[in-house]
Amino acid sequence: MKVIIDEDKCVGAGQCVLAAAEVFDQREDDGIVVLLDAAPPDGLHASVEEAAARCPALAIEVLK
């Protein structure tokens, strides 16, 4: 799995962090997503897919 984020699309809703805090964080100044792990381990794949599905701005792309 490879995770790609589009910071320009991100609206700072934080749903990704709630779903997969090991993979996503947010910048303190504006809440924009920060990718912590672009190739998360197998055990986090379901959480990452949930985070992508929850993103209201569709700023997370998951490649399998």
Side-chain angles (χ1 to χ4, degrees), residues 6-60:
D6 186 339
E7 290 182 8
D8 293 331
K9 287 184 179 179
C10 181
V11 296
Q15 295 301 306
C16 56
V17 178
L18 293 175
E22 304 89 351
V23 179
F24 304 100
D25 200 356
Q26 290 178 279
R27 297 191 304 222
E28 287 191 29
D29 58 333
D30 58 6
I32 299 300
V33 65
V34 174
L35 183 60
L36 302 175
D37 189 350
D42 291 347
L44 296 177
H45 287 191
S47 297
V48 171
E49 289 177 0
E50 180 182 346
R54 287 175 145 192
C55 180
L58 303 175
I60 302 168

